[in-house]
């Protein structure tokens, strides 16, 4: 569909593009000579300034990996996945959808997308679901990621752009409170901004149950009990209110609802907050003093605070804190969510979410429906309403009223969804499953048809980084002969479903133009962004409504896009996590990430440098807890929750609380953390509670078991 990009950079002799992994989207220079692909950091890209983490340095390894899928696969009569032609594979996917929809209705077809897909693919997948399949059931893995921060920002600030200011602002913040993020491992090049901030005399406060690589760089580490974030935020706000350190002028001029939260905040006195959070009163007082005395301060949230059944309330309580201090919309200040996936920002804006149309519009908004229907050239009545959220869709698979035929593009739910054994049961009960991936992921292993996809350096498109900066992914090399890009796959499927006329494009740039028109007038307005403008400016920050607009690096300077133009306080009462430790399951389990592995591990578990650094999932256990269970460094251990059991090797560390065990989720089979996790959902964002459940340590049975 597209030709190899001939726009080689003159000074480096290499093409400028971006890392395939996280939302930092480090600038890279790539040169391809035959099978040799060389990657270096792009010193001219202002976000990473040449720095890359180990995942970025080794990213080219997946392009030429021997286990890469090089041909479509379909399950034969003996139940084995065997190579087939593209025509046969695509016919079978289209037939799978048609059969399910014929038997059970339009909503029996489902799409599960991902935040690693380009903006063009996310947009097209949303359009494909609504126009070609006419199903309401499309959602994506961002629901498992930052959706609680997104919902809280929309409710409090009127719009969700993860960081509403450029990263460069961090360096000028006098105090940063970072809660539930371990960015030293999850976005290492971000730390250069904190180093600059420190050199300028700034202070860093980190709230995390673990003494992480990030917390160990902090001036103050608040080691809270898992699941107590909103009590912590309320407690800090209580002290600031008590001491008269709030910005009353800002509260009066730019916000509403503060009087309604005062009563709630009054009940979070320091002794009580220490009891709930385990954070000593003197540390609460110090955090409040640092924030209250700072001229410029920031609050940043990560998944620790967000991935809870009360994740939206947690984030609201931190936004309350930032608003009460008058931080939002001011230089080197504010509230931001550290988005995680490569296109975690753009992926949440263009319609692969169950309740959404392009431009971050709501699918139940009549004006949005009319606008998008006109761009798509379809009757508005044909666009379905809101569908099921990610976990609810997975939970419905193969059941009456649920999805019967599913296409997964850009997610490995067998490893990454909560309560994973249940999800596997549901996937097995589908009438039809298709998976598009680069490798035979754990989810692809269950599919009826597997579609081999072109990778990052083999496709054109745009990504939107954690700052809302829209950047270009460039094609540097061709995919293997029998591998296709997702765009052509979606368009070919639409042809087979009889809707091809809506899906004919000359390439990614034309899709981007259409996306721009579809987003025009919406919250995430890309109408004024073009590939040429991105090239000329090192990316363009949305909203950018027209050709003459330079983009919006800083939001909320003059007001908030709410009905009143003011930001809203929300009263938040801390509640217990959905499951708490008890006699049978006496410890907290929390889950997250390691530096050298990425997400479900499909890509990084295949890169030798990375697996040699981090070959196994390690359960972090406090020495006192380890000795209680007679565990030593390296012991095999089985962790058990009400959902299931999984095996790990022990890492004894004082960096974790005595009452808590941490495990990474990058592995499958018996090593999958998500066999353990609780699928309790936040009532607003539908985010599962990945970060807190109750666990029991069982005998060290299967030492060094590498899993299935
Ligand atoms: N190396 C690596 N980098 C990545 C990724 C990866 O898989 N690997 N994934 C990318 C993606 S998609 C994302 S979303 C980001 C995630 O980036 P982060 O948010 O930094 O990652 P996590 O490790 O999931 O969680 C962060 C921290 O939350 C803490 N935590 C656990 N429970 C609680 C709690 O109750 N309250 C608080 N305040 N903290 C708690 C954990 O101890 C952990 O240190 O990383 C991105 N970058
Ligand atoms: N216990 C626990 N579970 C978690 C989390 C946690 O902290 N704890 N974090 C959650 C979070 S924040 C996230 S973001 C999810 C992530 O979990 P997943 O959604 O599973 O994310 P990935 O592993 O990135 O999956 C992407 C899959 O699609 C493939 N892929 C990547 N790019 C493309 C593409 O462009 N096209 C196609 N066709 N395929 C592609 C990859 O090879 C990989 O197999 O996990 C969630 N699960
Ligand atoms: S920080 Fe993120 S974008 Fe940068 S090299 Fe590492 S994984 Fe890639
Ligand atoms: Mo994520």
């Amino acid at each position: 569909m597209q030709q190899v990009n001939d726009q080689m950079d003159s000074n480096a002799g290499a093409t400028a593009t971006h890392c395939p992994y996280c939302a930092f989207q480090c600038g890279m220079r790539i040169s391809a000579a035959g099978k040799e692909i060389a990657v270096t950091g792009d010193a001219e890209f202002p976000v990473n300034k040449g720095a890359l983490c180990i995942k970025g340095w080794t990213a080219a390894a997946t392009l030429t990996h021997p286990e890469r899928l090089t041909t479509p696969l379909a399950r034969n009569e003996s139940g084995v996945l065997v190579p087939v032609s593209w025509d046969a594979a695509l016919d079978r996917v289209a037939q799978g959808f048609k059969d399910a929809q014929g038997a059970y209705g339009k909503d029996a077809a489902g799409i599960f997308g991902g935040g690693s897909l380009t903006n063009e693919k996310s947009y097209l997948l949303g359009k494909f679901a609504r126009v070609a399949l006419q199903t309401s059931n499309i959602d994506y893995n961002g629901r498992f990621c930052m959706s609680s921060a997104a919902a809280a920002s929309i409710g409090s600030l009127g719009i969700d752009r993860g960081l509403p200011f450029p990263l460069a602002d961090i360096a000028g913040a006098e105090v940063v409170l970072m809660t539930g993020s371990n960015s030293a491992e999850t976005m290492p090049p971000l730390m250069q901004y904190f180093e600059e901030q420190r050199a300028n005399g700034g202070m860093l406060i980190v709230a995390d149950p673990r003494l992480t690589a990030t917390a160990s760089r902090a001036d103050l580490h608040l080691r809270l009990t898992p699941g107590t974030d909103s009590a912590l935020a309320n407690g800090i706000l209580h002290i600031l209110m008590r001491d008269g350190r709030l910005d009353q002028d800002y509260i009066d001029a730019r916000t509403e609802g503060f009087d309604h939260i005062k009563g709630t905040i009054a009940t979070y006195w320091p002794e009580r907050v220490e009891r709930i959070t385990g954070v000593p009163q003197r540390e609460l007082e110090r955090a409040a003093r640092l924030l209250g005395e700072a001229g410029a301060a920031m609050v940043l949230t990560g998944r620790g605070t967000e991935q809870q059944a009360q994740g939206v309330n947690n984030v609201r309580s931190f936004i309350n804190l930032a608003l009460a201090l008058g931080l939002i919309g001011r230089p080197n200040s504010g509230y931001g969510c550290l988005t995680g996936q490569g296109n975690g920002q753009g992926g949440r804006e263009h319609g692969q979410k169950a309740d959404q149309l392009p431009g971050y519009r709501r699918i139940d908004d009549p004006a949005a429906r009319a606008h998008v229907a006109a761009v798509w050239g379809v009757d508005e009545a044909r666009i379905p309403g809101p569908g099921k959220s990610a976990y609810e869709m997975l939970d419905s698979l193969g059941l009456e009223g649920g999805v019967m035929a599913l296409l997964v593009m850009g997610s490995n739910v067998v490893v990454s969804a909560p309560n994973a054994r249940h999800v596997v049961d549901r996937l097995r009960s589908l009438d039809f499953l298709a998976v598009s991936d680069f490798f035979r992921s754990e989810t692809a292993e269950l599919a009826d048809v597997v579609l081999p996809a072109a990778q990052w350096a083999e496709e054109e498109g745009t990504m939107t980084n954690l700052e809302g900066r829209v950047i270009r992914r460039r094609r540097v090399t061709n995919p293997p002969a029998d591998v296709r890009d997702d765009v052509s796959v979606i368009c070919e499927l639409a042809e087979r479903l009889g809707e091809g006329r809506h899906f004919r494009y000359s390439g990614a740039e034309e899709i981007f133009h259409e996306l721009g028109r579809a987003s025009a007038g919406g919250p995430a307005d890309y109408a004024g962004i073009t590939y040429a403008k991105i090239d000329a400016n090192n990316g363009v920050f949305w909203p950018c409504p027209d050709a003459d607009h330079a983009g919006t690096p800083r939001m909320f300077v003059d007001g908030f896009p709410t009905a009143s133009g003011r930001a809203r306080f929300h009263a938040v009462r801390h509640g217990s996590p959905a499951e708490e430790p008890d006699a049978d399951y006496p410890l907290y389990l929390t889950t997250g990430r390691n530096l050298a592995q990425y997400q479900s591990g499909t890509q990084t578990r295949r890169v030798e440098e990375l697996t040699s650094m981090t070959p196994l999932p390690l359960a972090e256990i406090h020495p006192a807890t380890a000795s209680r269970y007679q565990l030593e460094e390296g012991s095999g251990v089985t962790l058990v929750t009400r959902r299931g059991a999984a095996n790990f090797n022990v890492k004894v560390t004082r960096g974790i609380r005595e009452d808590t065990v941490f495990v990474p989720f990058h592995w499958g089979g018996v090593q999958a953390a998500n066999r353990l996790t609780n699928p309790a959902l936040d009532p607003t964002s539908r985010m599962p509670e990945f970060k807190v459940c109750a666990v029991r340590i069982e005998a060290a049975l299967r030492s060094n078991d590498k899993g299935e």
Side-chain angles (χ1 to χ4, degrees):
M1 186 172 242
Q2 293 137 7
Q3 294 307 304
V4 172
N5 197 293
D6 57 5
Q7 199 190 327
M8 300 290 259
D9 185 78
S10 52
N11 51 27
T15 306
T17 188
H18 297 273
C19 175
Y21 299 119
C22 86
F24 213 69
Q25 283 298 289
C26 291
M28 285 180 165
R29 302 251 163 186
I30 305 195
S31 42
K35 282 200 97 185
E36 288 303 305
I37 296 166
V39 168
T40 55
D42 184 352
E44 283 164 36
F45 187 61
V47 177
N48 58 311
K49 305 176 197 171
L52 297 177
C53 80
I54 182 74
K55 298 184 296 303
W57 277 114
T58 56
T62 59
L63 296 167
T64 50
H65 197 281
E67 288 171 22
R68 189 158 174 199
L69 290 165
T70 52
T71 165
L73 305 173
R75 209 165 283 283
N76 66 13
E77 279 151 16
S78 333
V80 181
L81 282 171
V82 294
V84 293
S85 70
W86 270 101
D87 273 339
L90 293 170
D91 285 348
R92 202 151 145 193
V93 178
Q95 199 58 47
F97 281 136
K98 283 184 196 163
D99 289 348
Q101 291 191 311
Y104 311 104
K106 294 285 186 199
D107 282 345
I111 304 280
F112 199 101
S116 55
L117 304 178
T118 59
N119 288 317
E120 290 77 358
K121 293 197 275 187
S122 312
Y123 167 76
L124 213 54
L125 212 48
K127 179 177 174 184
F128 176 75
R130 276 65 178 239
V131 174
L133 291 172
Q134 293 170 57
T135 178
S136 67
N137 284 321
I138 172 167
D139 214 58
Y140 81 122
N141 67 7
R143 198 65 88 163
F144 297 160
C145 188
M146 37 25 73
S147 61
S148 293
S153 286
I154 291 169
S156 297
L157 310 175
I159 196 165
D160 155 45
R161 197 184 82 190
L163 292 181
F165 43 75
L167 283 161
D169 277 19
I170 292 173
E174 287 166 41
V175 175
V176 178
L177 166 58
M178 191 193 261
T179 169
S181 163
N182 180 17
S183 47
E185 289 199 66
T186 54
M187 269 174 209
L190 171 64
M191 298 318 281
Q192 59 191 311
Y193 291 92
F194 289 99
E195 278 148 26
E196 218 181 314
Q197 186 232 1
R198 166 168 295 194
N200 292 336
M203 308 278 266
L204 175 62
I205 307 171
V206 170
D208 194 306
R210 300 187 298 145
L211 178 63
T212 58
T214 316
S216 61
R217 295 182 188 203
D219 300 281
L220 177 59
H221 175 206
L222 309 173
R223 198 182 286 202
L224 77 172
T225 306
T228 62
D229 292 75
S230 62
L232 179 72
N234 286 351
I236 295 174
L237 184 49
H238 176 101
I239 297 169
L240 288 162
M241 199 163 90
R242 179 198 72 193
D243 295 349
R245 288 197 184 273
L246 303 185
D247 187 339
Q248 197 58 49
D249 292 342
Y250 180 98
I251 293 172
D252 293 342
R254 300 208 48 186
T255 71
E256 61 196 14
F258 183 64
D259 286 343
H260 299 301
I261 78 161
K262 278 181 172 167
T264 309
I265 298 302
T267 65
Y268 285 85
W269 58 88
E271 297 84 346
R272 178 172 178 230
V273 173
E274 173 174 328
R275 226 168 27 245
I276 299 172
T277 64
V279 177
Q281 286 179 52
R282 65 181 142 64
E283 292 182 6
L284 296 169
E285 297 277 354
R286 177 144 183 252
R289 197 166 55 247
L290 286 173
L291 285 164
E293 287 173 358
M298 268 180 198
V299 180
L300 302 174
T301 60
R303 301 307 82 80
T305 300
E306 300 162 13
Q307 289 173 328
Q308 299 183 29
Q310 48 186 341
V312 175
N313 269 346
N314 288 344
V315 176
R316 283 176 179 151
S317 67
F318 282 102
I319 294 178
N320 286 343
L321 182 56
L323 288 173
L325 287 168
L327 303 177
I328 301 184
R330 294 209 165 138
N332 306 107
S333 301
Y335 162 73
C337 144
L338 295 165
T339 296
Q341 296 188 84
N343 197 29
Q345 181 67 54
R348 71 205 205 218
E349 300 163 0
H350 299 300
Q352 61 171 330
K353 210 169 161 221
D355 50 4
Q356 187 195 64
L357 287 174
Y360 225 136
R361 291 181 149 98
R362 291 179 58 111
I363 204 165
D364 57 5
D365 169 3
R369 295 172 62 85
H371 173 86
V372 174
V375 174
W376 287 350
V378 300
D379 185 359
E380 184 254 298
R382 244 183 74 172
I383 299 179
K388 295 181 172 62
S389 75
Y391 185 76
E392 288 162 301
M393 193 202 306
L394 296 175
D395 196 29
S396 83
L397 301 179
L399 300 175
E400 206 186 324
V403 165
M404 296 294 180
L406 179 70
L407 168 64
V408 178
M409 185 176 275
S411 185
N412 184 11
V413 287
V414 166
V415 176
S416 58
N419 197 11
R421 287 197 318 163
H422 173 70
V423 168
V424 169
D425 288 345
R426 298 272 44 90
L427 285 163
R428 287 192 202 281
S429 74
L430 279 167
D431 285 0
F432 181 79
L433 174 64
V435 173
S436 164
D437 208 305
F438 318 136
F439 294 102
R440 277 176 79 145
S441 69
E442 286 78 357
T443 309
E445 289 296 347
L446 302 182
D448 299 292
V449 173
V450 181
L451 304 168
Q455 294 192 35
W456 57 289
E458 302 160 348
E459 64 174 7
E460 291 281 330
T462 59
M463 308 283 277
T464 304
N465 82 349
L466 75 168
E467 308 167 282
R469 184 195 297 255
V470 184
I471 54 181
R472 281 186 64 187
R473 169 178 276 193
R474 290 198 181 80
R475 184 163 174 165
V476 184
T477 180
N478 290 315
D482 214 12
V483 168
R484 293 190 184 171
D485 63 63
D486 295 315
V487 165
S488 69
V489 168
I490 297 168
C491 295
E492 288 275 345
L493 285 174
E495 294 284 351
R496 283 168 169 75
L497 293 165
E499 300 292 341
R501 66 191 181 284
H502 298 294
F503 292 85
R504 292 186 191 133
Y505 301 96
S506 59
E509 191 165 7
E510 191 184 348
I511 301 170
F512 188 74
H513 283 311
E514 186 181 297
L515 176 166
R517 283 190 292 126
S519 75
D525 192 332
Y526 282 44
I529 309 180
T530 60
Y531 279 18
K533 199 161 170 179
I534 295 172
D535 291 345
N537 298 288
N538 270 321
V540 179
F541 291 82
W542 69 258
C544 178
D546 57 62
D548 298 330
H549 196 286
T552 314
R554 260 181 214 84
M555 306 178 85
F556 313 133
V557 175
D558 303 314
F560 294 92
T562 55
S564 61
R566 289 163 179 266
R568 297 185 196 109
F569 284 96
H570 289 265
V572 173
R573 261 174 234 289
H574 165 259
S576 304
E579 187 179 78
E580 286 210 288
D582 57 19
D584 294 333
Y585 300 92
L587 299 166
Y588 287 103
L589 177 75
T590 191
T591 65
R593 292 163 166 79
N594 295 144
L595 169 66
Q597 294 293 344
Y598 190 71
Q599 312 273 65
S600 70
T602 310
Q603 292 149 284
T604 51
R605 277 188 275 125
R606 289 184 164 85
V607 179
E608 208 184 305
E609 289 93 326
L610 302 177
T611 42
S612 64
M613 273 175 78
T614 310
L616 289 169
L618 300 180
E620 296 181 15
I621 298 178
H622 191 273
T625 312
S627 77
R628 215 173 326 130
Y629 290 88
Q630 293 169 340
L631 297 170
E632 292 168 6
E633 182 78 13
S635 307
V637 68
T638 302
L639 299 181
V640 184
T641 70
R642 289 189 177 81
R643 272 74 49 199
N647 295 346
F648 301 89
N649 287 74
V650 172
K651 175 180 170 183
V652 178
T653 169
R654 293 193 177 280
I656 191 143
R657 299 164 50 93
E658 276 187 54
D659 60 3
T660 305
V661 177
F662 169 87
V663 291
F665 80 101
H666 310 294
W667 286 264
V670 295
Q671 298 175 313
N674 279 319
R675 291 176 154 223
L676 306 172
T677 49
N678 187 355
L681 302 182
D682 181 283
T684 306
S685 65
R686 320 307 285 164
M687 159 72 78
E689 192 144 71
F690 287 118
K691 288 296 190 263
V692 202
C693 69
V695 71
R696 173 168 83 221
I697 293 178
E698 283 200 354
L701 289 175
R702 289 165 252 185
S703 180
N704 287 312
D705 187 340
K706 280 193 135 191
E708 302 171 332

